[in-house]
Amino acid sequence: MSAGGFCKLPNGTVVVALTVPSPSPDDGAVRVLVHAANRARALTRLRNLGLRAIYLRGNAEPPTPDEVTAVLHHPDGLLWRAAPHCTAGELWHPIRALLRPRQPGRAGYSSSASTPATTPSGV
């Protein structure tokens, strides 16, 4: 279950902030910000990126003014950073940095392309 909230801007759009578990197993949680026309479209944008179990129930943790400013100044309108807001100095990252596929050699990565092809010795 994700905790979060939203705020409606004067132009009618909304900024949705959600705290969700990190996709990588060794990390804790991440805070995701989405700027969209309405709450349903904001959640749809996240679901289309692969974050399936995303629901917004209530408004317990609405975005702070700093979070609203950050997401409004980003061209994609999708940002994230580590959930504990006590991490001083950590900047917001674009969402594609969070959802980037794992690199070869990291735990949990399995691909036949990473194993070298064997050739017959007589050829």
Side-chain angles (χ1 to χ4, degrees):
M1 170 97 108
S2 58
F6 69 95
C7 69
K8 193 163 186 140
L9 301 177
N11 64 357
T13 61
V14 296
V15 173
V16 174
L18 293 168
T19 303
V20 297
S22 176
S24 58
D26 54 344
D27 295 338
V30 295
R31 179 87 164 167
V32 179
L33 301 176
V34 185
H35 179 230
N38 55 43
R39 286 180 286 169
R41 286 189 183 183
L43 298 176
T44 300
R45 286 185 75 185
L46 291 173
R47 289 182 187 126
N48 288 344
L49 291 171
L51 300 173
R52 296 291 179 207
I54 300 294
Y55 299 99
L56 183 61
R57 295 189 176 114
N59 200 13
E61 295 180 20
T64 64
D66 290 337
E67 291 175 337
V68 172
T69 302
V71 76
L72 288 178
H73 283 87
H74 194 272
D76 292 340
L78 278 164
L79 298 173
W80 72 276
R81 74 172 171 187
H85 300 296
C86 301
T87 55
E90 182 181 4
L91 300 175
W92 290 96
H93 310 283
I95 196 73
R96 60 184 143 350
L98 178 66
L99 303 174
R100 184 174 296 146
R102 296 196 179 272
Q103 300 296 326
R106 293 180 71 184
Y109 184 83
S110 62
S111 173
S112 60
S114 63
T115 57
T118 57
T119 59
S121 60
V123 177

